[in-house]
């Protein structure tokens, strides 16, 4: 039973570029959440997708956008990258209504030069 | 808005010592509480969770935590730590629902166990 998978593992971009990160949820899960974890900090909630729509959003600018596909996989897009966007981006999946906690992937390490 | 405080940023213990990591949260409603662990080079894993019922919850690898509602606390404990417990520990909270609402994390506690 595959867990949450994220790609790529590492990514290096320059300021002003755009990036797309991908996530496949754990089998049987229909909800995907994205978090940003800066060095030395706890994960910060970006947004959550369910039924292909953004259901909740944290305190992140519109440069951060996402998408969920019919197979429940998800993408996180970040435009106009800033140095401060350097972080580990985590995807977590869960099953709505199951009263079960979120399961996390290994993350994508994004470095902005 | 929810917030979580973990006052111990880095804890260093010898093997077999007892462990208690503090976690306090701020939220006006009913909450679910979690402890996650991040071993070096690995993903966040759930140690234990509290949704309702017995405030003393037991998790994996001998960890337990006690929810004290009057103190807004959910401290993590282990009676005898092992070198393999070296990791980053995160306390998290979300609004009481079905457990998959957005998580608010603390800044984490780095635990180093000396053999």
């Amino acid at each position: 039973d595959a867990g949450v998978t994220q790609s790529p593992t590492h990514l290096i971009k320059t300021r002003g570029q755009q990036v797309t990160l991908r996530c496949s949820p754990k089998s049987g899960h229909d909800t995907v959440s994205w978090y940003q974890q800066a060095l030395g900090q706890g994960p910060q909630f970006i947004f959550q997708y369910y039924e292909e729509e953004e259901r909740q959003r944290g305190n992140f600018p519109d440069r951060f956008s996402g998408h969920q596909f019919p197979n429940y996989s998800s993408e996180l897009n970040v435009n106009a990258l800033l140095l401060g966007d350097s972080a580990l981006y985590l995807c977590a999946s869960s099953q709505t209504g199951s009263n079960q906690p979120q399961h996390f992937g290994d993350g994508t390490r994004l470095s902005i030069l | 808005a929810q917030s979580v405080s973990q006052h111990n940023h880095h804890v260093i213990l010898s093997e077999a010592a007892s462990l208690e990591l503090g976690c306090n949260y701020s939220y006006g409603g009913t909450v679910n509480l979690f402890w996650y662990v991040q071993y070096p080079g690995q993903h966040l894993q759930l140690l234990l969770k509290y949704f309702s019922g017995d405030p003393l919850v037991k998790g994996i690898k001998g960890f337990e935590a006690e929810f004290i509602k009057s103190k807004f606390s959910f401290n993590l404990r282990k009676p005898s730590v092992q070198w393999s417990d070296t990791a980053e520990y995160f306390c998290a909270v979300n609004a009481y629902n079905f457990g998959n609402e957005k998580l608010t994390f603390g800044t984490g506690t780095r635990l180093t166990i000396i053999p």
Side-chain angles (χ1 to χ4, degrees), chain A residues 66-104:
Chain A
H67 189 76
Q68 186 179 35
F69 299 93
N71 66 354
Y72 308 120
S73 67
S74 176
E75 288 181 350
L76 164 65
N77 300 292
V78 187
N79 294 323
L81 287 167
L82 303 173
L83 291 177
D85 295 331
S86 294
L88 180 67
Y89 288 85
L90 298 169
C91 172
S93 72
S94 56
Q95 184 180 4
T96 293
S98 67
N99 204 29
Q100 292 299 314
Q102 297 176 23
H103 292 249
F104 284 81

Side-chain angles (χ1 to χ4, degrees), chain A residues 14-62:
Chain A
T14 57
R15 282 179 296 175
Q17 285 190 310
Q18 177 265 342
V19 68
T20 298
L21 311 181
R22 296 176 175 83
C23 172
S24 292
K26 181 179 169 66
S27 177
H29 288 183
D30 57 10
T31 301
V32 173
S33 302
W34 287 92
Y35 294 82
Q36 180 195 66
Q37 186 177 13
L39 202 60
Q41 300 295 317
Q44 298 287 318
F45 177 76
I46 303 175
F47 43 54
Q48 183 182 82
Y49 277 83
Y50 171 67
E51 291 189 336
E52 302 180 47
E53 292 191 356
E54 184 181 290
R55 183 161 70 171
Q56 296 183 80
R57 189 178 182 92
N59 190 26
F60 279 80
D62 291 344

Side-chain angles (χ1 to χ4, degrees), chain B residues 62-82:
Chain B
F63 286 91
E64 66 178 29
E66 185 176 12
F67 171 49
I68 303 179
K69 189 175 181 180
S70 61
K71 294 184 178 181
F72 298 91
S73 70
F74 190 57
N75 292 353
L76 181 70
R77 300 195 293 249
K78 186 172 184 179
S80 177
V81 294
Q82 301 172 305

Side-chain angles (χ1 to χ4, degrees), chain B residues 42-63:
Chain B
Q42 296 188 26
H43 60 269
L44 277 168
Q45 300 173 40
L46 182 69
L47 265 182
L48 47 78
K49 62 184 187 293
Y50 173 80
F51 284 175
S52 63
D54 189 344
L56 184 62
V57 292
K58 296 190 184 299
I60 61 172
K61 304 186 181 187
F63 286 91

